[in-house]
Amino acid sequence: MLKSRIITTLLWDGIQQVKPVQFKRPYRKLGSMMDAIKVVEKRDIDELILLDIEATYQNRKPLFKEIQEFTNNIFCPVTIGGGILELDDITKLLESGADKVCICEEAIHNPYFIEQAARKFGSQAIVVAVNTMLSHVASSIGDRFNSTNAKIYAKAIEDCGAGEIILTDVLKDGMMQGYNAELIFEVSYDLS
């Protein structure tokens, strides 16, 4: 049996820690990202995921300097996501202290990018966020909707070389109702 792992995800907007409800703006503002990192680090987590949910929307690169400051104080594996558009972005994030990178919208629009990244950095370093709505992949850029089935999309992502997938049900996000266990089981079962 696999060991349970505690993986914490923190979202930020490039300024502070935030939490959306169903990916909608305005976000709930939760305060300093560094303070949040210090709190979760003390809780003996197994991994931390930091996602800049505004980078892609604002069409900007990851904030490498801030990310390096965050990772200097973290003593567990760290996954960083947001604004990753080129292989050079991944190189800089790994040099800034990330152990893995999370690719999201870029994957929807350019699956070849995942293949290139997995070839260059190894599948273990490439995580892809799959945001779903009613069991279909949802694109959060400009509230567009892509009707690709989540199971088919996740399998294609795996075939491209992604080592991990972060599966999020947009309709349950921030609703304090727990995860969509049925969807997670469905997609996980198809990938095994």
Side-chain angles (χ1 to χ4, degrees):
M1 186 156 112
L2 294 174
K3 176 190 177 288
S4 294
R5 296 175 60 220
I6 306 300
I7 302 172
T8 300
T9 301
L10 298 177
L11 307 176
W12 68 306
D13 62 3
I15 299 168
Q16 63 192 334
Q17 183 191 12
V18 295
K19 181 61 186 144
V21 174
Q22 297 180 335
F23 286 35
K24 295 176 187 165
R25 291 175 179 81
Y27 306 135
R28 288 180 284 181
K29 298 174 182 176
L30 303 177
S32 164
M33 191 64 165
M34 188 62 82
D35 289 346
I37 290 169
K38 288 176 184 175
V39 168
V40 297
E41 180 65 25
K42 289 179 184 174
R43 294 191 174 154
D44 200 27
I45 59 174
D46 295 302
E47 185 174 340
L48 180 60
I49 300 171
L50 301 175
L51 302 176
D52 183 344
I53 60 175
E54 284 293 297
T56 302
Y57 180 78
Q58 294 173 355
N59 197 28
R60 67 169 162 75
K61 296 276 191 186
L63 300 173
F64 301 108
K65 181 181 174 216
E66 289 84 347
I67 289 165
Q68 187 163 23
E69 290 173 11
F70 296 154
T71 60
N72 283 340
N73 296 299
I74 301 172
F75 301 99
C76 66
V78 182
T79 301
I80 304 287
I84 301 168
L85 298 173
E86 303 171 355
L87 294 178
D88 190 48
D89 296 334
I90 297 173
T91 299
K92 288 178 184 173
L93 286 170
L94 295 174
E95 289 170 353
S96 296
D99 297 287
K100 298 183 255 184
V101 297
C102 181
I103 300 166
C104 182
E105 300 298 337
E106 303 81 2
I108 290 173
H109 304 295
N110 182 9
Y112 181 63
F113 182 62
I114 298 167
E115 291 177 14
Q116 291 176 305
R119 243 184 275 123
K120 181 169 182 174
F121 303 102
S123 289
Q124 81 289 345
I126 306 302
V127 178
V128 176
V130 176
N131 302 321
T132 66
M133 190 178 295
L134 305 174
S135 298
H136 287 74
V137 176
S139 171
S140 60
I141 293 180
D143 298 319
R144 290 177 298 185
F145 184 76
N146 180 325
S147 63
T148 304
N149 180 284
K151 292 190 299 185
I152 294 168
Y153 184 68
K155 180 64 177 149
I157 294 288
E158 180 186 48
D159 291 345
C160 287
E164 296 179 23
I165 292 172
I166 298 173
L167 185 63
T168 304
D169 182 335
V170 173
L171 298 178
K172 286 188 142 298
D173 180 67
M175 300 301 289
M176 299 177 72
Q177 298 172 345
Y179 297 103
N180 185 338
E182 184 179 315
L183 177 67
I184 292 169
F185 177 79
E186 255 182 70
V187 172
S188 300
Y189 182 77
D190 280 359
L191 295 177
S192 56

